[in-house]
Amino acid sequence: MSVMDESRIDSMTAVRMRVTGWTQNKVLGAMLAVGELRQNHDHEDYCLRTVLWAFSPGADAQVAALGKYAGNFRRIEGRRAS
């Protein structure tokens, strides 16, 4: 079993949150809150860069591809699928 680094997981999570309708500020707030549990580098800068990427044109293809799963992702979040 391979181990995926945290930054890749964080970026995938931020994109998924974008797909389910989270705003950029809400994603950033969630990342900052969770990150307090970690002993990372400059955590605020890291979170900001991750969120900016998730809401950038570079992530648009992933967002489009994942859009069909938005209802499933919302259910995982404990929200209505819509």
Side-chain angles (χ1 to χ4, degrees):
M1 180 167 125
S2 66
V3 176
M4 189 179 296
D5 68 63
E6 288 180 349
S7 64
R8 188 170 224 170
I9 294 168
D10 290 339
S11 65
M12 290 168 43
T13 301
V15 167
R16 186 210 28 91
M17 292 170 82
R18 176 183 169 189
V19 168
T20 60
W22 289 60
T23 66
Q24 210 167 342
N25 285 336
K26 293 281 187 181
V27 175
L28 180 59
M31 287 191 68
L32 288 169
V34 170
E36 291 175 2
L37 304 173
R38 296 183 186 166
Q39 299 296 321
N40 276 4
H41 32 278
D42 183 354
H43 189 68
E44 282 187 38
D45 181 62
Y46 167 77
C47 289
L48 181 59
R49 286 183 288 115
T50 301
V51 171
L52 287 174
W53 181 85
F55 284 82
S56 76
D60 287 350
Q62 281 187 327
V63 170
L66 294 173
K68 63 185 173 189
Y69 302 110
N72 293 336
F73 294 150
R74 283 189 201 95
R75 279 193 290 275
I76 290 168
E77 293 175 357
R79 298 167 35 196
R80 296 183 83 179
S82 301

